[in-house]
Amino acid sequence: MTAKLIDGTAIAKEVREAVGAEVAALVAAGYPPPGLATVLVGENPASEVYVGMKQRMCKKLGMESFSYTLPVDASQEEVEGLVKELNDNPAVNGILVQLPLPKHLDEEAVLRTISVEKDIDGFHPINIGRLAQKGREPLFVPCTPDGCMYLLEHSGVEFNGANAVVLGRSNIVGMPAALLLVKRNATVTICHSRTKNLPEVCRQADILIAAVGQVEIVKKDWVKPGAAVIDVGTHRIDDDTKEKGYYLTGDVAFDEVNEVAGWISPSPGGVGPMTIAMLMRNTVRAAKIAHGLIEV
Ligand code: NAP
């Protein structure tokens, strides 16, 4: 038996189509198109690619995109000043500061400057704090873990009472993924670089989210038969035998884990396309909040 494939590419397309329809409905109702502002500091090629993808997706879905690039030596005041301007700009509904920022900048202070109502990445301390509290809801949920949850839910995976193991405790993926799973009544174990007996811990998981950034670390004998496995890891491996000179893989050894898991979301083709789809969804949500169409 092989696992059921959780096809992030197809599911993300559905999400984007729904977002595009919401944008069209907003515009037809006389509202301006939702606007996303991206802030990039310095010249990080990977960040430039990500920001470019987000801008193109905005245009494709009928949204506005505003792009700002500051020099690598921009001061804290300059970055925060730009964010404050964007907070005050009514055409901007969502503000995305592309991480990581150069080392001399205080990342948390920059994220704290973003208006909570425009924090479409969900990294503002207030949004993260609400995510961590029982009975409270953040205005926005971080896009990658939100994408993981959407994939699981869409596939009919049961959260209630499930044992979930999250590999990784980063602010961007692991920790918010764990908080989201707790909110859905899973019993959650968070693993990191000091966790002992990792394979044994993972084998207890009905739901396993791998976000450690270690090439194909999750093997077949780490996975409980029938478990749902979400691979967040993304790695580009140089390989001269491939046409492009490289191939992409994740944190999960797909071929062997596929033989034992109940569901599997691969990398590439899983969480990656979901992240950008959820960002677009959050931007439309921000526009609706700004227009008083959603009460928060
Ligand atoms: P990160 O900030 O480097 O965090 C990695 C986490 O994994 C840390 O908590 C670390 O533990 C833990 N870890 C590292 N090596 C480990 C090991 N051998 N055993 C157990 N735990 C280990 O990474 P991230 O930003 O969360 O990203 C994780 C992966 O997801 C990367 O491959 C990244 O490219 C990918 N990613 C994909 C998307 C997407 O949209 N598809 C978005 C974001 C990230 P400590 O805390 O103890 O250091």
Side-chain angles (χ1 to χ4, degrees):
M1 273 284 282
T2 55
K4 288 182 203 131
L5 185 77
I6 303 180
D7 183 348
T9 305
I11 298 169
K13 185 167 177 273
E14 285 172 24
V15 173
R16 290 195 307 269
E17 283 167 1
V19 170
E22 277 192 89
V23 172
L26 274 175
V27 172
Y31 294 102
L36 171 68
T38 55
V39 177
L40 184 61
V41 184
E43 290 172 5
N44 177 332
S47 294
E48 282 168 16
V49 169
Y50 293 140
V51 165
M53 280 165 57
K54 289 162 189 171
Q55 287 164 353
R56 283 193 297 280
M57 188 56 72
C58 276
K59 297 228 163 74
K60 215 170 155 185
L61 299 183
M63 293 158 57
E64 287 284 357
S65 95
F66 308 92
S67 157
Y68 298 86
T69 305
L70 294 175
V72 68
D73 58 354
S75 67
Q76 188 75 26
E77 291 68 33
E78 281 173 284
V79 181
E80 290 185 19
L82 173 57
V83 170
K84 284 176 189 159
E85 269 176 41
L86 298 173
N87 283 342
D88 293 338
N89 182 344
V92 171
N93 298 114
I95 302 171
L96 181 146
V97 176
Q98 186 65 43
L99 304 178
L101 290 170
K103 292 260 182 296
H104 68 281
L105 294 170
D106 178 346
E107 190 170 288
E108 206 215 326
V110 171
L111 294 178
R112 211 169 40 226
T113 310
I114 299 174
S115 153
V116 183
E117 288 79 18
K118 296 191 179 189
D119 176 39
I120 37 81
D121 251 341
F123 296 149
H124 190 290
I126 289 183
N127 276 323
I128 290 290
R130 286 184 185 161
L131 185 61
Q133 288 184 318
K134 195 174 174 185
R136 310 259 162 86
E137 292 297 333
L139 270 69
F140 303 100
V141 171
C143 303
T144 300
D146 200 17
C148 295
M149 296 299 286
Y150 193 99
L151 290 178
L152 288 165
E153 177 140 42
H154 188 277
S155 309
V157 174
E158 177 66 50
F159 293 107
N160 233 330
N163 283 334
V165 172
V166 180
L167 288 176
R169 57 175 165 180
S170 72
N171 292 337
I172 294 175
V173 191
M175 192 54 78
L179 295 171
L180 284 165
L181 286 161
V182 171
K183 273 210 187 297
R184 299 298 302 273
N185 299 322
T187 302
V188 182
T189 305
I190 303 169
C191 300
H192 46 76
S193 62
R194 317 288 166 84
T195 301
K196 292 181 183 148
N197 304 326
L198 210 49
E200 200 180 307
V201 177
C202 291
R203 270 196 300 275
Q204 307 307 313
D206 302 307
I207 298 171
L208 180 62
I209 296 186
V212 279
Q214 303 287 331
V215 178
E216 298 181 10
I217 188 174
V218 177
K219 308 291 186 206
K220 182 179 179 177
D221 64 351
W222 291 35
V223 175
K224 181 177 174 176
V229 178
I230 303 286
D231 190 354
V232 183
T234 40
H235 308 280
R236 185 179 152 144
I237 311 290
D238 290 334
D239 183 345
D240 290 341
T241 68
K242 304 285 177 200
E243 199 181 315
K244 289 182 174 169
Y246 66 89
Y247 67 95
L248 300 174
T249 187
D251 286 352
V252 174
F254 179 87
D255 289 343
E256 55 180 273
V257 170
N258 190 30
E259 291 171 14
V260 61
W263 295 264
I264 188 163
S265 161
S267 178
V271 178
M274 287 304 292
T275 297
I276 190 158
M278 299 324 255
L279 180 76
M280 298 297 122
R281 203 162 85 136
N282 276 353
T283 306
V284 173
R285 178 174 161 77
K288 288 186 165 177
I289 291 172
H291 301 315
L293 301 173
I294 297 178
E295 272 195 42
V296 287

